Amino acid sequence: MMLLLAHSAQKDIPAQLYKEHVHAVYQLAEKNMHEALNFFSGPDEQKAAFRNAVGPGALFHDLGKIDKRNQKVLATTDCGERLPLNHVDAGTAWLWKNGALNSSLLVYCHHSGLFSLSAEKKKEDGELAFRD
């Protein structure tokens, strides 16, 4: 049985198992979400939307890393090769398809940062945030 990886081994840093990485990210995201909500003064609906988006986003943020092509790269120590598939897209697509739109946006932006949805809607040059 092949162990799924989230990060490959680098010099003195061992590889990180996918399940350990996702669990740690989920715990930290939930902790940070609760701390952030202490400072939120907006409507309860927005507070609930944020609360409901964080957990699924954390759980699915690296779903694309389990693809066999990405695992092949992750299993190679110090290779420096980029993942052949964008690891963000699988989780984004799964959450979007299953109605977790806010979570899908968090997953999509977890490396690039949040973008302005209203600005994206105004673009006419074809350079939209959702590239794939």
Side-chain angles (χ1 to χ4, degrees), residues 16-81:
Q16 185 179 32
L17 294 177
Y18 181 82
K19 68 179 182 177
E20 291 172 359
H21 175 70
V22 169
H23 180 73
V25 167
Y26 177 81
Q27 287 185 314
L28 185 59
E30 286 286 309
K31 177 183 177 284
N32 289 339
M33 178 263 303
H34 286 293
E35 289 179 12
L37 287 175
N38 289 328
F39 300 97
F40 183 75
S41 60
D44 286 342
E45 304 85 46
Q46 288 179 355
K47 195 174 194 177
F50 179 58
R51 187 182 300 113
N52 294 333
V54 170
L59 291 174
F60 286 87
H61 81 281
D62 275 351
L63 185 63
K65 286 186 177 178
I66 65 174
D67 183 276
K68 289 178 183 179
R69 292 164 284 188
N70 286 343
Q71 283 296 305
K72 183 176 179 183
V73 172
L74 291 169
T76 307
T77 303
D78 291 328
C79 82
E81 186 179 335

Side-chain angles (χ1 to χ4, degrees), residues 6 12 25 28-31 39 53 55 67 79 84 86 92-93 98 105 113 118 120 125:
D12 297 331
V25 167
L28 185 59
E30 286 286 309
K31 177 183 177 284
F39 300 97
D67 183 276
C79 82
N86 184 334
T92 299
N98 287 281
L105 289 173
S118 61
E120 290 302 314
D125 61 3

